Amino acid sequence: MTIIQLDGHTLDDIESGRGAPRTPAPARKPSQPYDPRYDPLVSPGVGQDRAYAPTYWVASAGEAPPDDGPVSHDFDADVVVIGSGFTGLATALFLAREHGIKATVLEANQAAWGCTSRNGGQGQNASGRLYRSQWIQRWGIDTAKRLDAEIRNGFETFRGLVAQVDCDAQDGGHLYTAHRPKKLAFLENEGRVMREVFGYDTRMLSQAELRERYCDDRDACGALLEPDGVGVHPLKLAYGYLRMARALGARVHPASPVVGWESRNGSHYLRTPGGTVRARAVAIATGAYTAPGLTPLLRGRCFPVLSNSIVTRPLTDAEIEATGFRSTTFITDTRTLRFYYRLLPDRRLQIGSRSAITGADAPAEKHYQLLVDAIARKFPPLRGIQIDYSWWGWVDVSHDMMPRIVQPDPSQSVFYALGYGGNGVSFSAHAGRRMADRIAGRADSAFTLPIYDSPLPLHWATPFRRLGQAMLYRWYYLRDEIL
C-alpha cells in the first residue's frame, strides 16, 4: 500500500457508490484572490478556489460554462483527471467520446486556471523545445519521421477541436523570424530539413518580403514560414473543451485540490477539502502547477519556468499602417529566450517572453519593461503605447526538452502528460487523446516513440536548477544579443 500525506493526515475508508450530483453548479465567484508570487518550487500548494490571473483571455472569454461545483461529499469515479487545463479537459473529452468512460476532473482553482489561461495562444505543429533537425540527431531519421507523423497527427487533432469551438481562430501558419543576420542560416537549415526530410511546404522570406506581406518588424532580418499554425483564444477554446466533455458525461469539480492520496487494493483515494473520490485510475494533467508532493512519480521531473505576457490597447488604422500589419499569422523570433507575438482579432498586439527566475521576483518592473522595450524595438511607431493587460505564468519544461505521455510505473494505474516546454497549446489536445487511449488500454504502435515509452527524466543538477537557470539566462542573453 502506498500512502501520500500532503497535509499531515491519512485517509479514512469511504463509503462507495454515492456518486456526485449531475446538476450544474450555480455561477459563483472564487473565494481567494490571485497570488502573483505563486512559485511551484516553494509554495506549499496551488491553493484552493483562487481567482484567475488578470489575463486578456480571462477578460475577453465571456462567462465561464457551467461546471459541477466543488466536491462536497465522498463518491466513486472510474477515472479521475487532476487538472482542468487543455490536457485534462481533452483527456476527459476523449475518454468519453472514444472509450465511453465518464471521467471526473478535479481542479484546485478555476477551470483552465493554470497554463491554459496564461499562454500566448500559438498552436504550432510542434511539441517540446527540440527542432526536427534535433530529433534526427538524437534518435535517427527513422524515429524522427515516425515522431513527425505523430506530432502532425496531433496537430490535426487540435485543428479538429478548434473547428468545433468559437475561439477566434486565426489559421495562417507560423513565422519564425531571424533577430540577427547570422540566424538566417539556422532558419534556412531548419526549413530545408522540414521540406526535404518531412515534406513540409516551408519557405524563407527575405526582410523585404516579411515587411511587404506580414508586418514591419524592425527586429527581423528575414523569416521562415511554416505552413501549419493556428492562433486561438486559449480560454475560449478551453471553455469549449469543458462544454463538450460535460455534454458527454464528464464531471468537472473546481475548488477541489487533491490534498491527500492513498492507493490500496487497486483503488486510489483522492482526498479533497470537500470529500474523497475513489478511482480505479488517475491521470495527472497539472503542467507547471503540479502541487509539491502530489506523487513521488513526478518528484524532480519537471522544471517550472516563468513566461510574461502583455497586451496593448487596440491599434488605430494609422498604427496598423505604420507597423505594416497585413496578417494575423503568429510569430516567434530566434532568441533562445524567445519573444512570441501576434496581432489579435480585435487589433491588439500581444507579446510574451521568458522572465523572472522565482515567483517572488515575478512582479518586478524590469520583466514588464522587457516586453515594453521589445514592442518599441520591433515596432517603433508603437513606442509608449498603452498596455491594457499584463500577466505571467509557469511553463512545464522537461529536462530533455520533450514531453511525456506515459504510465510511468506499469504496476500503478497512474498516468501523466507533462513537459510541453511552452509548445502545448496544440499538442495538449492529442496528448489528452493519447492519455485517454492508454487509460482505456488501447494499444498503438506510436507508443514505442520516445515521448510515450519512458517517464520524464531526472537530472543530477535538479537541486541546483534555480542557480543554473540564472547562469543560463545570462549566457543566453550574451549569445543572443552580443556574441
Side-chain angles (χ1 to χ4, degrees):
M1 179 175 68
T2 301
I3 298 177
I4 299 170
Q5 297 174 290
L6 300 188
D7 61 357
H9 302 283
T10 58
L11 299 175
D12 297 328
D13 290 335
I14 66 170
E15 181 181 349
S16 63
R18 288 167 50 184
R22 193 70 189 103
T23 305
R28 60 181 183 80
K29 292 186 178 297
S31 62
Q32 300 297 319
Y34 160 66
D35 178 10
R37 298 178 186 274
Y38 166 78
D39 187 324
L41 291 189
V42 299
S43 298
V46 295
Q48 180 186 355
D49 204 23
R50 287 198 178 276
Y52 287 108
T55 73
Y56 167 77
W57 314 120
V58 171
S60 58
E63 186 176 351
D67 54 47
D68 295 282
V71 170
S72 60
H73 63 280
D74 300 344
F75 63 91
D76 283 348
D78 191 9
V79 175
V80 164
V81 179
I82 305 176
S84 69
F86 283 143
T87 302
L89 293 173
T91 301
L93 171 60
F94 286 111
L95 278 170
R97 180 181 287 180
E98 299 187 346
H99 304 287
I101 298 172
K102 298 177 181 179
T104 294
V105 180
L106 301 180
E107 165 59 51
N109 297 292
Q110 318 302 313
W113 174 86
C115 310
T116 295
S117 59
R118 309 187 198 203
N119 61 74
Q122 295 191 357
Q124 298 185 34
N125 179 14
S127 187
R129 303 309 311 163
L130 299 185
Y131 307 107
R132 281 165 171 80
S133 63
Q134 293 172 306
W135 296 356
I136 296 172
Q137 293 169 7
R138 181 172 292 187
W139 297 299
I141 194 165
D142 292 339
T143 296
K145 284 185 174 181
R146 291 179 59 229
L147 182 57
D148 174 71
E150 178 68 3
I151 301 297
R152 194 182 301 209
N153 187 18
F155 186 75
E156 292 308 313
T157 297
F158 166 71
R159 193 193 292 275
L161 290 179
V162 167
Q164 300 172 56
V165 179
D166 181 4
C167 59
D168 303 337
Q170 298 170 302
D171 192 346
H174 169 228
L175 281 170
Y176 200 6
T177 59
H179 78 285
R180 298 176 71 181
K182 71 176 186 178
K183 285 293 185 178
L184 288 169
F186 160 74
L187 290 181
E188 288 168 353
N189 180 67
E190 289 303 318
R192 179 188 58 78
V193 169
M194 291 184 70
R195 191 168 53 252
E196 297 179 3
V197 178
F198 300 104
Y200 290 100
D201 185 20
T202 59
R203 62 180 297 254
M204 289 295 296
L205 302 176
S206 67
Q207 185 181 65
E209 285 181 288
L210 177 65
R211 293 177 175 176
E212 179 182 349
R213 296 180 52 194
Y214 292 94
C215 63
D216 187 9
D217 181 349
R218 304 289 177 83
D219 200 34
C221 304
L224 172 66
L225 176 62
E226 299 176 355
D228 297 317
V230 181
V232 297
H233 188 301
L235 191 52
K236 287 184 179 181
L237 181 58
Y239 283 170
Y241 290 5
L242 173 58
R243 291 186 183 96
M244 289 189 286
R246 290 191 74 251
L248 292 170
R251 304 175 191 272
V252 179
H253 295 282
S256 301
V258 175
V259 295
W261 181 346
E262 179 180 346
S263 301
R264 64 177 186 269
N265 301 324
S267 294
H268 301 279
Y269 296 78
L270 304 172
R271 184 157 53 83
T272 76
T276 298
V277 185
R278 182 172 69 174
R280 71 164 181 86
V282 178
I284 301 170
T286 44
Y289 294 84
T290 305
L294 177 65
T295 170
L297 295 171
L298 285 174
R299 188 172 296 133
R301 301 281 177 172
C302 261
F303 186 10
V305 174
L306 271 172
S307 186
N308 273 35
S309 195
I310 59 176
V311 172
T312 70
R313 63 157 170 76
L315 274 58
T316 66
D317 289 344
E319 288 167 337
I320 292 289
E321 181 64 26
T323 53
F325 270 108
R326 295 174 178 83
S327 170
T328 56
T329 296
F330 60 74
I331 308 167
T332 54
D333 68 21
T334 48
R335 289 174 171 86
T336 307
L337 302 180
R338 65 186 59 178
F339 290 91
Y340 52 92
Y341 43 111
R342 64 181 171 125
L343 189 67
L344 300 173
D346 61 359
R347 310 211 307 181
R348 299 174 186 269
L349 179 65
Q350 180 270 332
I351 185 169
S353 185
R354 298 294 181 260
S355 61
I357 303 294
T358 68
D361 187 47
E365 178 71 17
K366 62 184 178 181
H367 307 303
Y368 171 85
Q369 194 62 43
L370 176 76
L371 298 179
V372 171
D373 291 346
I375 290 177
R377 181 177 63 248
K378 292 175 179 296
F379 304 105
L382 301 184
R383 183 183 300 274
I385 191 171
Q386 176 182 313
I387 306 301
D388 282 353
Y389 300 93
S390 172
W391 71 90
W392 47 90
W394 293 92
V395 176
D396 54 320
V397 181
S398 69
H399 293 296
D400 69 352
M401 301 297 168
M402 290 298 285
R404 295 297 191 281
I405 303 89
V406 297
Q407 181 183 8
D409 182 349
S411 69
Q412 299 185 50
S413 54
V414 178
F415 306 78
Y416 61 70
L418 296 165
Y420 306 120
N423 258 338
V425 172
S426 65
F427 192 70
S428 56
H430 197 63
R433 187 177 210 164
R434 287 307 201 184
M435 189 150 65
D437 288 343
R438 305 201 83 153
I439 293 167
R442 176 183 289 175
D444 195 292
S445 60
F447 293 157
T448 60
L449 287 167
I451 61 173
Y452 298 121
D453 72 352
S454 63
L456 287 163
L458 285 168
H459 193 279
W460 67 269
T462 295
F464 313 103
R465 53 190 157 188
R466 285 280 167 82
L467 176 62
Q469 184 183 2
M471 295 173 64
L472 279 173
Y473 274 20
R474 290 185 176 90
W475 163 242
Y476 291 155
Y477 175 81
L478 183 66
R479 186 175 64 183
D480 285 342
E481 309 297 345
I482 299 174
L483 295 180

